[in-house]
Amino acid sequence: MNVVYFAWVRERIGLPQEQVDTNAATVADLVEELKSREDRYEAAFADISALRVALDQELADFDASLVGVNEVAFFPPMTGG
């Protein structure tokens, strides 16, 4: 699965994207797997209420299933103007 990071999430992790082999059932499970990797992931995902997620370029919730998903993107909330 391709995992993409935007804005300060990318800055904290140090990667724009990566291929991740996972058995995670939901986005929340994936986040927990990533957080257990290294401190930089723990820092990026310390407060998921400050993050949004998209599955295959569609906004989703952290309890969404990853079945059949090819891409997960994490990013901070955006404001328009």
Side-chain angles (χ1 to χ4, degrees):
M1 159 178 316
N2 191 42
V3 180
V4 183
Y5 310 107
F6 292 96
W8 56 260
V9 183
R10 173 176 36 203
E11 291 171 10
R12 289 180 186 172
I13 292 173
L15 298 169
Q17 65 182 355
E18 63 183 319
Q19 288 294 317
V20 174
D21 291 324
T22 182
N23 292 319
T26 66
V27 175
D29 294 339
L30 176 62
V31 167
E32 289 305 313
E33 280 185 19
L34 292 171
K35 284 171 62 174
S36 70
R37 285 179 159 192
E38 296 177 33
D39 289 345
R40 61 189 174 137
Y41 292 93
E42 178 70 38
F45 295 108
D47 180 10
I48 63 168
S49 69
L51 287 173
R52 298 295 176 264
V53 64
L55 304 180
D56 293 331
Q57 300 183 6
E58 296 286 332
L59 288 176
D61 293 321
F62 281 81
D63 61 354
S65 172
L66 294 177
V67 173
V69 171
N70 295 309
E71 180 185 85
V72 178
F74 295 102
F75 51 93
M78 297 173 281
T79 58

